[in-house]
Amino acid sequence: MQESARMLYQSVFLDFDGVLVESAAIKAKAFQALYREYGPDVVARVATHHKANEGISRLVKIRHCHQAFLGIALSDRELAELGETYTAQVEDRVATCDDVAGARDFLESHHRDIPLFVVSGTPEDEVRRIAERRKITGYFVEVRGSPLGKEDILRDLLDRHGLM
C-alpha cells in the first residue's frame, strides 16, 4: 500500500458473507429450507425478509420469521435448535465456497500495512472456524461475529484498538 493510503485509513472492517466469500446464496437457501414445511408462501416471505436483513444474526431473523409469519413465539431452546440446524446446513459449504473475486488479493496486499478486522452477523465461533478452515485468520487482527450486533462489535473494536 502506498504511504498516502496508509495515512488515510487507520483500519478496514470487512463483513464476511458476500465480501470475502461467495456465501450469500448458500445461506439464503438454507434459511428458506428451515421454512419449507410451511409452504411456498411462507418460504417466499422468509426469503424476502432474509434478503432485506443480510448481516443480521440468524437467530434474530429466525425469531422474527416464526413470530411474524407463523405466529409462533419460540423458546430460547427452540431458537437454539433451529440455529444449530441452520449451522449444520451452511458451515461446511461456506468453508469451501469460492472467494469473492479479488478478496484474497486485497487481504494479501494490505494485511501487513493496515489492521484488518472481520465484523459479521454469523455467530462468532462459527465465523472463526470458517476463517481458520479457509486459512485467512492470519490476515486479521480480529474475527468477530454475533451474538453482539455489528454496531456493538465496531464500537468495541474502535475502543479497544484506539481507533477513531
Side-chain angles (χ1 to χ4, degrees), residues 127-149:
V127 73
R128 286 179 175 172
R129 283 192 308 267
I130 292 169
E132 185 67 35
R133 288 176 66 185
R134 295 182 73 87
K135 300 185 182 342
I136 61 172
T137 54
Y139 294 121
F140 302 103
V141 176
E142 290 190 46
V143 175
R144 299 287 304 275
S146 65
L148 291 179

mmCIF file of all heavy atoms in Angstrom, residues 127-149:
data_model
loop_
_atom_site.group_PDB
_atom_site.id
_atom_site.type_symbol
_atom_site.label_atom_id
_atom_site.label_comp_id
_atom_site.label_asym_id
_atom_site.label_seq_id
_atom_site.Cartn_x
_atom_site.Cartn_y
_atom_site.Cartn_z
ATOM 1 N N VAL A 127 -17.871 -18.239 12.551
ATOM 2 C CA VAL A 127 -17.115 -17.458 11.566
ATOM 3 C C VAL A 127 -15.616 -17.643 11.800
ATOM 4 O O VAL A 127 -14.824 -17.692 10.848
ATOM 5 C CB VAL A 127 -17.542 -15.972 11.534
ATOM 6 C CG1 VAL A 127 -17.070 -15.194 12.742
ATOM 7 C CG2 VAL A 127 -17.067 -15.299 10.240
ATOM 8 N N ARG A 128 -15.213 -17.804 13.052
ATOM 9 C CA ARG A 128 -13.796 -18.059 13.326
ATOM 10 C C ARG A 128 -13.367 -19.437 12.816
ATOM 11 O O ARG A 128 -12.274 -19.574 12.262
ATOM 12 C CB ARG A 128 -13.520 -17.931 14.819
ATOM 13 C CG ARG A 128 -13.519 -16.491 15.293
ATOM 14 C CD ARG A 128 -13.280 -16.392 16.772
ATOM 15 N NE ARG A 128 -13.168 -14.994 17.175
ATOM 16 C CZ ARG A 128 -13.115 -14.596 18.425
ATOM 17 N NH1 ARG A 128 -13.159 -15.486 19.415
ATOM 18 N NH2 ARG A 128 -13.013 -13.320 18.709
ATOM 19 N N ARG A 129 -14.205 -20.451 13.015
ATOM 20 C CA ARG A 129 -13.883 -21.788 12.493
ATOM 21 C C ARG A 129 -13.770 -21.758 10.970
ATOM 22 O O ARG A 129 -12.849 -22.346 10.388
ATOM 23 C CB ARG A 129 -14.962 -22.803 12.891
ATOM 24 C CG ARG A 129 -14.900 -23.289 14.302
ATOM 25 C CD ARG A 129 -15.809 -24.486 14.539
ATOM 26 N NE ARG A 129 -17.183 -24.327 14.112
ATOM 27 C CZ ARG A 129 -18.184 -23.895 14.885
ATOM 28 N NH1 ARG A 129 -17.961 -23.575 16.152
ATOM 29 N NH2 ARG A 129 -19.406 -23.798 14.397
ATOM 30 N N ILE A 130 -14.709 -21.068 10.330
ATOM 31 C CA ILE A 130 -14.699 -20.999 8.872
ATOM 32 C C ILE A 130 -13.455 -20.249 8.390
ATOM 33 O O ILE A 130 -12.783 -20.692 7.451
ATOM 34 C CB ILE A 130 -15.990 -20.342 8.344
ATOM 35 C CG1 ILE A 130 -17.191 -21.259 8.615
ATOM 36 C CG2 ILE A 130 -15.872 -20.017 6.856
ATOM 37 C CD1 ILE A 130 -18.539 -20.610 8.390
ATOM 38 N N ALA A 131 -13.134 -19.130 9.015
ATOM 39 C CA ALA A 131 -11.937 -18.373 8.622
ATOM 40 C C ALA A 131 -10.682 -19.227 8.793
ATOM 41 O O ALA A 131 -9.786 -19.199 7.933
ATOM 42 C CB ALA A 131 -11.837 -17.089 9.441
ATOM 43 N N GLU A 132 -10.639 -19.993 9.856
ATOM 44 C CA GLU A 132 -9.495 -20.885 10.083
ATOM 45 C C GLU A 132 -9.411 -21.952 8.990
ATOM 46 O O GLU A 132 -8.343 -22.203 8.435
ATOM 47 C CB GLU A 132 -9.616 -21.538 11.463
ATOM 48 C CG GLU A 132 -8.433 -22.386 11.842
ATOM 49 C CD GLU A 132 -7.159 -21.594 12.054
ATOM 50 O OE1 GLU A 132 -7.227 -20.448 12.547
ATOM 51 O OE2 GLU A 132 -6.078 -22.127 11.721
ATOM 52 N N ARG A 133 -10.537 -22.554 8.675
ATOM 53 C CA ARG A 133 -10.559 -23.578 7.626
ATOM 54 C C ARG A 133 -10.161 -23.008 6.266
ATOM 55 O O ARG A 133 -9.549 -23.693 5.456
ATOM 56 C CB ARG A 133 -11.942 -24.226 7.548
ATOM 57 C CG ARG A 133 -12.223 -25.141 8.734
ATOM 58 C CD ARG A 133 -13.608 -25.703 8.704
ATOM 59 N NE ARG A 133 -13.795 -26.592 7.571
ATOM 60 C CZ ARG A 133 -14.965 -27.144 7.262
ATOM 61 N NH1 ARG A 133 -16.035 -26.909 7.990
ATOM 62 N NH2 ARG A 133 -15.064 -27.938 6.210
ATOM 63 N N ARG A 134 -10.509 -21.744 6.038
ATOM 64 C CA ARG A 134 -10.173 -21.097 4.764
ATOM 65 C C ARG A 134 -8.743 -20.551 4.778
ATOM 66 O O ARG A 134 -8.271 -20.000 3.795
ATOM 67 C CB ARG A 134 -11.167 -19.976 4.467
ATOM 68 C CG ARG A 134 -12.593 -20.484 4.232
ATOM 69 C CD ARG A 134 -13.543 -19.345 3.903
ATOM 70 N NE ARG A 134 -13.293 -18.874 2.561
ATOM 71 C CZ ARG A 134 -13.849 -19.379 1.459
ATOM 72 N NH1 ARG A 134 -14.717 -20.370 1.549
ATOM 73 N NH2 ARG A 134 -13.553 -18.890 0.274
ATOM 74 N N LYS A 135 -8.072 -20.679 5.920
ATOM 75 C CA LYS A 135 -6.689 -20.222 6.094
ATOM 76 C C LYS A 135 -6.543 -18.717 5.849
ATOM 77 O O LYS A 135 -5.604 -18.264 5.173
ATOM 78 C CB LYS A 135 -5.738 -21.021 5.221
ATOM 79 C CG LYS A 135 -5.762 -22.521 5.546
ATOM 80 C CD LYS A 135 -4.745 -23.273 4.761
ATOM 81 C CE LYS A 135 -4.725 -24.759 4.967
ATOM 82 N NZ LYS A 135 -5.325 -25.377 6.092
ATOM 83 N N ILE A 136 -7.475 -17.950 6.432
ATOM 84 C CA ILE A 136 -7.402 -16.493 6.281
ATOM 85 C C ILE A 136 -7.308 -15.757 7.616
ATOM 86 O O ILE A 136 -7.211 -14.530 7.628
ATOM 87 C CB ILE A 136 -8.591 -15.940 5.456
ATOM 88 C CG1 ILE A 136 -9.927 -16.233 6.127
ATOM 89 C CG2 ILE A 136 -8.531 -16.455 4.021
ATOM 90 C CD1 ILE A 136 -11.116 -15.552 5.458
ATOM 91 N N THR A 137 -7.300 -16.461 8.725
ATOM 92 C CA THR A 137 -7.277 -15.770 10.023
ATOM 93 C C THR A 137 -6.041 -14.899 10.187
ATOM 94 O O THR A 137 -6.101 -13.863 10.846
ATOM 95 C CB THR A 137 -7.388 -16.749 11.198
ATOM 96 O OG1 THR A 137 -6.380 -17.743 11.077
ATOM 97 C CG2 THR A 137 -8.751 -17.403 11.251
ATOM 98 N N GLY A 138 -4.927 -15.302 9.605
ATOM 99 C CA GLY A 138 -3.693 -14.537 9.740
ATOM 100 C C GLY A 138 -3.733 -13.157 9.119
ATOM 101 O O GLY A 138 -2.886 -12.317 9.422
ATOM 102 N N TYR A 139 -4.713 -12.897 8.294
ATOM 103 C CA TYR A 139 -4.844 -11.580 7.682
ATOM 104 C C TYR A 139 -5.500 -10.568 8.617
ATOM 105 O O TYR A 139 -5.456 -9.367 8.361
ATOM 106 C CB TYR A 139 -5.693 -11.661 6.406
ATOM 107 C CG TYR A 139 -5.082 -12.456 5.289
ATOM 108 C CD1 TYR A 139 -5.730 -13.560 4.766
ATOM 109 C CD2 TYR A 139 -3.861 -12.091 4.730
ATOM 110 C CE1 TYR A 139 -5.196 -14.290 3.717
ATOM 111 C CE2 TYR A 139 -3.308 -12.809 3.689
ATOM 112 C CZ TYR A 139 -3.973 -13.912 3.191
ATOM 113 O OH TYR A 139 -3.429 -14.624 2.156
ATOM 114 N N PHE A 140 -6.133 -11.053 9.680
ATOM 115 C CA PHE A 140 -6.976 -10.185 10.506
ATOM 116 C C PHE A 140 -6.434 -10.016 11.917
ATOM 117 O O PHE A 140 -5.913 -10.955 12.510
ATOM 118 C CB PHE A 140 -8.399 -10.750 10.580
ATOM 119 C CG PHE A 140 -9.034 -10.899 9.233
ATOM 120 C CD1 PHE A 140 -9.135 -12.144 8.636
ATOM 121 C CD2 PHE A 140 -9.483 -9.787 8.546
ATOM 122 C CE1 PHE A 140 -9.695 -12.279 7.378
ATOM 123 C CE2 PHE A 140 -10.040 -9.911 7.284
ATOM 124 C CZ PHE A 140 -10.140 -11.165 6.700
ATOM 125 N N VAL A 141 -6.644 -8.819 12.444
ATOM 126 C CA VAL A 141 -6.351 -8.575 13.848
ATOM 127 C C VAL A 141 -7.367 -9.330 14.695
ATOM 128 O O VAL A 141 -7.005 -9.969 15.688
ATOM 129 C CB VAL A 141 -6.376 -7.061 14.164
ATOM 130 C CG1 VAL A 141 -6.177 -6.802 15.653
ATOM 131 C CG2 VAL A 141 -5.331 -6.323 13.325
ATOM 132 N N GLU A 142 -8.637 -9.265 14.297
ATOM 133 C CA GLU A 142 -9.698 -9.996 14.986
ATOM 134 C C GLU A 142 -10.774 -10.400 13.987
ATOM 135 O O GLU A 142 -11.042 -9.684 13.030
ATOM 136 C CB GLU A 142 -10.362 -9.145 16.083
ATOM 137 C CG GLU A 142 -9.473 -8.873 17.277
ATOM 138 C CD GLU A 142 -10.233 -8.248 18.427
ATOM 139 O OE1 GLU A 142 -11.337 -8.724 18.767
ATOM 140 O OE2 GLU A 142 -9.703 -7.273 18.995
ATOM 141 N N VAL A 143 -11.396 -11.537 14.259
ATOM 142 C CA VAL A 143 -12.563 -12.019 13.515
ATOM 143 C C VAL A 143 -13.700 -12.071 14.520
ATOM 144 O O VAL A 143 -13.640 -12.820 15.494
ATOM 145 C CB VAL A 143 -12.312 -13.413 12.899
ATOM 146 C CG1 VAL A 143 -13.579 -13.941 12.235
ATOM 147 C CG2 VAL A 143 -11.158 -13.357 11.902
ATOM 148 N N ARG A 144 -14.719 -11.246 14.295
ATOM 149 C CA ARG A 144 -15.805 -11.112 15.272
ATOM 150 C C ARG A 144 -17.158 -11.397 14.630
ATOM 151 O O ARG A 144 -17.349 -11.190 13.438
ATOM 152 C CB ARG A 144 -15.819 -9.689 15.850
ATOM 153 C CG ARG A 144 -14.549 -9.273 16.596
ATOM 154 C CD ARG A 144 -14.416 -9.938 17.957
ATOM 155 N NE ARG A 144 -15.569 -9.697 18.794
ATOM 156 C CZ ARG A 144 -15.744 -8.618 19.565
ATOM 157 N NH1 ARG A 144 -14.822 -7.670 19.603
ATOM 158 N NH2 ARG A 144 -16.832 -8.495 20.293
ATOM 159 N N GLY A 145 -18.093 -11.857 15.458
ATOM 160 C CA GLY A 145 -19.441 -12.142 14.998
ATOM 161 C C GLY A 145 -20.442 -12.026 16.118
ATOM 162 O O GLY A 145 -20.124 -11.564 17.212
ATOM 163 N N SER A 146 -21.670 -12.485 15.851
ATOM 164 C CA SER A 146 -22.740 -12.396 16.832
ATOM 165 C C SER A 146 -22.437 -13.335 18.010
ATOM 166 O O SER A 146 -21.599 -14.219 17.881
ATOM 167 C CB SER A 146 -24.079 -12.740 16.169
ATOM 168 O OG SER A 146 -24.093 -14.074 15.742
ATOM 169 N N PRO A 147 -23.012 -13.110 19.183
ATOM 170 C CA PRO A 147 -24.339 -12.544 19.345
ATOM 171 C C PRO A 147 -24.392 -11.012 19.369
ATOM 172 O O PRO A 147 -25.473 -10.455 19.219
ATOM 173 C CB PRO A 147 -24.811 -13.102 20.688
ATOM 174 C CG PRO A 147 -23.569 -13.259 21.482
ATOM 175 C CD PRO A 147 -22.513 -13.655 20.465
ATOM 176 N N LEU A 148 -23.260 -10.338 19.575
ATOM 177 C CA LEU A 148 -23.322 -8.882 19.512
ATOM 178 C C LEU A 148 -23.678 -8.451 18.100
ATOM 179 O O LEU A 148 -23.277 -9.099 17.124
ATOM 180 C CB LEU A 148 -21.973 -8.264 19.895
ATOM 181 C CG LEU A 148 -21.521 -8.392 21.341
ATOM 182 C CD1 LEU A 148 -20.148 -7.741 21.515
ATOM 183 C CD2 LEU A 148 -22.532 -7.769 22.287
ATOM 184 N N GLY A 149 -24.398 -7.351 17.984
ATOM 185 C CA GLY A 149 -24.682 -6.769 16.680
ATOM 186 C C GLY A 149 -23.439 -6.077 16.139
ATOM 187 O O GLY A 149 -22.493 -5.784 16.881
#
